[in-house]
Amino acid sequence: MPVVATMIGWVILIRRTILLFLSRDATARLVDWFHFEEFFYLYLGFAAVLGLYLTVHGFSAAAQRRALQRNRPG
């Protein structure tokens, strides 16, 4: 699963970089094209589920790593 989190991070970075260099008109056309006003709750729900998944996965991976370090003979 770390590959999924890494890929999501790269996609977000590339998307934000593209938005940084777009003009205001191009950004407005992009927002209109995605129908953000119409599908606001869908986009919000997707972002919330993705954020929750990444948070839970991150904390569980850290907990597993700590458990392995505690059980290591030494």
Side-chain angles (χ1 to χ4, degrees):
M1 293 298 172
V3 174
V4 173
T6 303
M7 292 306 296
I8 291 170
W10 277 107
V11 167
I12 291 171
L13 176 68
I14 291 168
R15 189 185 83 186
R16 292 296 179 179
T17 303
I18 290 170
L19 286 174
L20 181 68
F21 292 107
L22 285 179
S23 67
R24 266 194 240 173
D25 294 331
T27 304
R29 278 181 289 181
L30 190 64
V31 168
D32 288 340
W33 187 72
F34 277 109
H35 302 281
F36 281 119
E37 296 158 348
E38 192 175 331
F39 300 116
F40 174 74
Y41 289 109
L42 178 68
Y43 291 126
L44 181 67
F46 177 74
V49 167
L50 179 63
L52 182 64
Y53 166 76
L54 291 175
T55 301
V56 168
H57 182 70
F59 281 116
S60 66
Q64 286 177 344
R65 204 169 25 253
R66 282 192 303 271
L68 287 174
Q69 287 175 351
R70 270 188 251 125
N71 294 333
R72 189 180 324 156

